[in-house]
């Protein structure tokens, strides 16, 4: 059973559009991380959200942690082709426990 | 960038042969992990290490063994490779100083077992 479910699995949009991807669980997580993976490379950490309701911004990317710490979302404004990649969420159920990864959202931004 | 390298980056081998993948880190991170990534399954943990000579199994450890004789090196061995072990393998490290378990990944090894 996948503890972290990501949606959508695939997303193809045009440059300049906005999008939101989701990471949901029935379990409470002490924190959630978002990674981006480009073809042929390993995942790279983008951000960690820790507090319920927390919002973090990274340029055009906005990350939010749900109030109950069971879900998170990633919103991209005015997407660019360079945003193309696999977006993974991950989290430890309790502080210090091993990470659980979602299966990811494959985003393609067409020029 | 945590200075993590993996070798080889690509390997093709035959069923039944032993294979060893190497992960090397220069950041003195305490924890090291081996994952495999397959379509429809995401990243799955094979084995991990919480210190020199201290290792434990992950969720898909059957058919794999690991060793960590030095802080900087973590080896993954397939004793007798099978076609089901065709995958992309990622090594990751974690400093062990954060409560959030943030990990840093290597570039991956693409293994094909014929």
């Amino acid at each position: 059973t996948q503890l972290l479910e990501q949606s959508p699995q695939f997303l193809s949009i045009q440059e300049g559009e906005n999008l939101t991807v989701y990471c949901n669980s029935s379990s409470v997580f002490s924190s959630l991380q978002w990674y981006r993976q480009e073809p042929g490379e390993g995942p790279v950490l983008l951000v960690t959200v820790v507090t319920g309701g927390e919002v973090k911004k990274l340029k055009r990317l906005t990350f939010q942690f749900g109030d109950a710490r069971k879900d998170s979302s990633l919103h991209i404004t005015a997407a660019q082709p360079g945003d193309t990649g696999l977006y993974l969420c991950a989290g430890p159920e309790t502080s210090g426990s091993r990470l659980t990864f979602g299966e990811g959202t494959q985003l393609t931004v067409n020029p | 960038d945590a200075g993590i390298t993996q070798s080889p980056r690509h390997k093709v081998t035959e069923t039944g042969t032993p294979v060893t993948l190497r992960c090397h880190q220069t950041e003195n991170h305490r924890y090291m992990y081996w994952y495999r990534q397959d379509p429809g399954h995401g990243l799955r943990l094979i084995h991990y290490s919480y210190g020199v000579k201290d290792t434990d199994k992950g969720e898909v450890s059957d058919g794999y063994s690991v060793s960590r004789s030095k802080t900087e090196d973590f080896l993954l061995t397939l004793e007798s490779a099978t076609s089901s072990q065709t995958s992309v393998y990622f090594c990751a490290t974690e400093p062990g100083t954060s409560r959030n378990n943030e990990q840093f990944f290597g570039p991956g090894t693409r293994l094909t077992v014929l």
Side-chain angles (χ1 to χ4, degrees):
Chain A
T1 302
Q2 193 72 31
L3 289 179
L4 282 170
E5 295 193 357
Q6 293 189 241
S7 61
Q9 273 190 284
F10 300 94
L11 187 58
S12 181
I13 62 171
Q14 293 300 122
E15 183 176 0
E17 293 182 3
N18 302 332
L19 67 115
T20 303
V21 298
Y22 300 93
C23 175
N24 296 300
S25 176
S26 57
S27 303
V28 174
F29 283 81
S30 59
S31 64
L32 272 179
Q33 301 160 21
W34 285 92
Y35 294 80
R36 179 168 65 210
Q37 183 179 15
E38 298 186 15
E41 299 181 7
V44 175
L45 179 66
L46 295 174
V47 76
T48 301
V49 285
V50 179
T51 307
E54 181 178 5
V55 176
K56 280 192 174 179
K57 293 193 174 185
L58 188 65
K59 296 184 180 178
R60 293 175 295 99
L61 279 61
T62 302
F63 304 85
Q64 185 162 9
F65 202 10
D67 291 341
R69 306 207 316 275
K70 292 184 177 181
D71 57 86
S72 182
S73 63
L74 159 59
H75 181 81
I76 301 179
T77 303
Q80 298 177 1
D83 296 326
T84 292
L86 178 68
Y87 288 82
L88 296 160
C89 66
E93 281 192 66
T94 58
S95 177
S97 67
R98 296 192 306 275
L99 286 183
T100 296
F101 282 84
E103 291 188 23
T105 293
Q106 181 63 54
L107 172 66
T108 302
V109 182
N110 302 297
Chain B
D1 195 351
I4 304 165
T5 57
Q6 293 184 230
S7 59
R9 292 294 314 278
H10 301 272
K11 186 169 183 67
V12 179
T13 191
E14 294 190 348
T15 297
T17 60
V19 177
T20 295
L21 308 183
R22 180 179 183 241
C23 177
H24 179 77
Q25 57 129 338
T26 59
E27 297 297 310
N28 201 35
H29 287 175
R30 178 183 175 188
Y31 295 91
M32 298 186 75
Y33 303 84
W34 277 108
Y35 294 90
R36 58 178 291 173
Q37 187 174 41
D38 305 286
H41 293 280
L43 281 166
R44 292 183 290 174
L45 181 64
I46 305 171
H47 281 279
Y48 66 101
S49 168
Y50 44 96
V52 173
K53 296 186 180 179
D54 291 324
T55 64
D56 206 347
K57 297 179 180 180
E59 61 178 306
V60 290
S61 59
D62 286 350
Y64 301 94
S65 62
V66 290
S67 66
R68 191 170 178 200
S69 59
K70 298 186 292 185
T71 298
E72 53 268 36
D73 291 324
F74 193 30
L75 304 181
L76 176 70
T77 297
L78 290 65
E79 302 290 346
S80 178
T82 67
S83 58
S84 64
Q85 294 175 312
T86 291
S87 186
V88 181
Y89 291 85
F90 287 99
C91 172
T93 70
E94 180 189 326
T97 55
S98 165
R99 295 170 52 194
N100 301 323
N101 305 75
E102 289 140 343
Q103 294 184 7
F104 300 87
F105 285 80
T109 294
R110 182 173 294 277
L111 176 67
T112 302
V113 184
L114 301 176

